[in-house]
Amino acid sequence: MTTVHADRPQRTRPRSAGGLVLRVPRTRASWVVRPRCVLVTVLLAAAVFLAFVVELAFGELDFPLVDVARALFGGGDSATQMVVHSLRLPRALVGLMCGAAFGLAGAVFQTLTRNPLASPDVIGVSAGAGTAATAGLLLGVGSGLGLQTLALLGGLGASALIYTLAWKGGTTGFRIVLVGIGIAALCTSATSYLLLKAGVYQAQQALMWLTGSLNARDWSHVGPLAVSLAVLLPCVALLGPWLSGLQLGDETAQVLGMPVQTARIALLVVGAALVSFASAAAGPIAFVSLIAPQIALRLVNTPGPALLPSALVGSFVVLVGDVAGRQLLADTELPVGVVTGVLGAPCLLWLLSRSNRTGSGG
């Protein structure tokens, strides 16, 4: 006979291989702790920290990783502290947070639609944010909070249009993907038209932003992005049970008592906000939302959405991509969006071929 303490969750044997079921006595609260998921998350966090330190170490002046880590926590000489804190830390923080936002948004959209190809940059959310932000840049209002607001409105507007056009007595993930691809093409065409009508300097500025870049990021980009994530990350955590329920299918979710359409709208809004704020800070960095959740799922090997691992993988991809873009070519600094695009295109082709073989593409 097992004694249960009222102030401690009860640990039972797992119902499925690979996890421990924890229950809080006298309540319905329970959750599954999977050792592999915990281990992978810890290792990913360590890898992200290492990539963050490497991002701070390399530039016109290179510093040893130990000196950078020491300066990051207030130690070391004053010159290293000045370079790390004043010049390089804002860029690294923007890359860290943008990667997490893109990876998390990709996990939300792919789980919501039950389609591995349904990332925000494929179904039009990123394109909507990009069109609105490009219009703001060309009109001279695309800086600071103005760009953040325009990108948010563009992403939310694209999401609302996708949801409205996909509505037919309700929505399904398959219709959202099909309509989203059409909206993405429409927004891309609108952005191209705006670039054609712009002056040379304005078009060059907008094109650099559309490519996705961490160049010249400063503390004015860090603040709004940090505040937005402080609001949106708890929202994703609170909506996590709904996301897991929608993964089972609409009929099963309804049987479980879940408000399917309300859940889908809430998750679309949160996912679009994540993409929009990240795009406003660094541009719509290509393919991070697509590949980060897929890498995370294969690492943790869980049936449910891997939200935290997806965010960590997204941060790692963006930070490593930015370092590679600055170091691969001696005389040229490639935007991080170019590097992630080169890495993401083969991943997209692989996902397409796998979907065709297994019938999982929609």
Side-chain angles (χ1 to χ4, degrees), residues 344-359:
C347 181
L348 176 60
L349 293 175
W350 177 78
L351 288 174
L352 284 170
S353 64
R354 184 176 180 274
S355 298
N356 289 334
R357 289 198 306 268
T358 63

Side-chain angles (χ1 to χ4, degrees), residues 63-79:
F63 297 101
L65 297 182
V66 175
D67 292 348
V68 171
R70 188 181 296 115
L72 190 60
F73 294 102
D77 60 87
S78 58

Side-chain angles (χ1 to χ4, degrees), residues 225-234:
L225 184 56
V227 171
S228 65
L229 288 182
V231 175
L232 293 172
L233 292 181

Side-chain angles (χ1 to χ4, degrees), residues 32-59:
V32 178
V33 177
R34 293 183 171 84
R36 172 169 174 167
C37 183
V38 173
L39 177 61
V40 169
T41 302
V42 171
L43 292 177
L44 283 174
V48 169
F49 178 75
L50 178 60
F52 187 78
V53 173
V54 171
E55 171 83 345
L56 295 172
F58 292 103

